[in-house]
Amino acid sequence: AQTVTQSQPEMSVQEAETVTLSCTYDTSESNYYLFWYKQPPSRQMILVIRQEAYKQQNATENRFSVNFQKAAKSFSLKISDSQLGDTAMYFCAFTYTGANSKLTFGKGITLSVRP
Amino acid sequence: ETGVTQSPTHLIKTRGQQVTLRCSSQSGHNTVSWYQQALGQGPQFIFQYYREEENGRGNFPPRFSGLQFPNYSSELNVNALELDDSALYLCASRDGPERYGYTFGSGTRLTVV
């Protein structure tokens, strides 16, 4: 079974600063994918960034980047130049290749960006 | 049509009743999943359909059932509603391999009283 752990329930950051959200996971799968999703008050889950486990290079999407440590099973999200619109819940999620694959989510972290 | 659309957005039902939630996915999205998200928690996987066949199920009782239709729409049915079924129900779909991730709808907020 796969598990995803987000141990920080809440974080706060000043606008324009950098913040890092932590995530660890556990799996016996060898071919898997990791995601960070953002859920604003509108409730819709929005894909922020994805990482394929077989790729050593950390994924980057504009102000968002990840630190993927495969051996440590760690997958943190760094948000640079934080903006007020980044205020939301952030979920780390895992899936794998194969039959019956599904997304497994962590409990999420509430990020508040202060003006 | 782009995006994933869910209806209704909010719903209040009485314990013991039955409810049907609907989802319309993007054309070509052959895989659709349903998730239950309790307040302040991460989504929990209910089940998944691929080309109208269920191909995965989470730890939910049989009173949670679903259907997927050829026009990329799907339904989640819940019988004998319980108070603990109060949650946000999310529909998610994808048109390719798992690495592409899923597109989510905005969910249906179900309240059971």
Side-chain angles (χ1 to χ4, degrees):
Chain A
Q2 284 69 232
T3 59
V4 177
T5 302
Q6 294 179 255
S7 56
Q8 308 156 302
E10 295 181 12
M11 288 195 75
S12 179
V13 64
Q14 195 74 30
E15 193 176 7
E17 292 189 344
T18 296
V19 64
T20 298
L21 310 182
S22 301
C23 172
T24 58
Y25 62 94
D26 192 22
T27 183
S28 58
E29 299 287 340
S30 57
N31 194 13
Y32 57 88
Y33 310 95
L34 295 159
F35 306 89
W36 278 96
Y37 279 91
K38 169 186 177 181
Q39 188 178 41
S42 66
R43 308 182 320 200
Q44 184 171 19
M45 287 279 190
I46 301 166
L47 179 63
V48 174
I49 198 165
R50 67 168 68 92
Q51 175 77 44
E52 296 167 59
Y54 65 86
K55 288 187 177 179
Q56 292 187 333
Q57 186 174 5
N58 288 324
T60 300
E61 289 286 344
N62 301 314
R63 298 183 295 108
F64 300 89
S65 61
V66 299
N67 183 5
F68 174 48
Q69 301 290 326
K70 190 172 183 178
K73 294 182 179 175
S74 170
F75 183 61
S76 61
L77 174 69
K78 185 172 80 171
I79 306 175
S80 303
D81 186 26
S82 296
Q83 301 176 0
L84 296 179
D86 295 334
T87 294
M89 278 203 78
Y90 286 81
F91 292 95
C92 179
F94 168 101
T95 193
Y96 57 92
T97 299
N100 302 328
S101 65
K102 61 180 182 180
L103 276 173
T104 300
F105 287 87
K107 289 188 175 181
I109 178 171
T110 300
L111 176 66
S112 300
V113 180
R114 306 185 305 273
Chain B
E1 182 181 350
T2 59
V4 176
T5 304
Q6 292 187 243
S7 62
T9 55
H10 295 85
L11 197 56
I12 299 175
K13 299 293 255 184
T14 302
R15 188 172 50 183
Q17 285 188 317
Q18 179 267 343
V19 68
T20 297
L21 310 183
R22 293 181 171 83
C23 173
S24 178
S25 300
Q26 291 179 228
S27 178
H29 281 209
N30 293 313
T31 301
V32 64
S33 304
W34 285 87
Y35 292 82
Q36 180 194 67
Q37 186 179 15
L39 197 61
Q41 299 294 316
Q44 297 293 313
F45 175 71
I46 302 174
F47 48 60
Q48 179 167 281
Y49 280 80
Y50 174 70
R51 294 187 173 180
E52 302 162 52
E53 296 284 334
E54 184 179 299
N55 75 340
R57 189 174 184 90
N59 189 26
F60 280 81
R63 58 189 185 83
F64 285 78
S65 63
L67 286 171
Q68 184 187 24
F69 303 101
N71 65 351
Y72 305 108
S73 66
S74 62
E75 290 180 353
L76 164 65
N77 299 290
V78 187
N79 294 321
L81 284 166
E82 301 177 0
L83 297 179
D84 285 348
D85 295 334
S86 295
L88 180 67
Y89 288 85
L90 295 167
C91 171
S93 65
R94 59 178 170 87
D95 64 350
E98 295 86 349
R99 66 176 181 270
Y100 292 168
Y102 288 77
T103 301
F104 281 81
S106 295
T108 294
R109 172 74 67 191
L110 173 64
T111 302
V112 183
V113 297

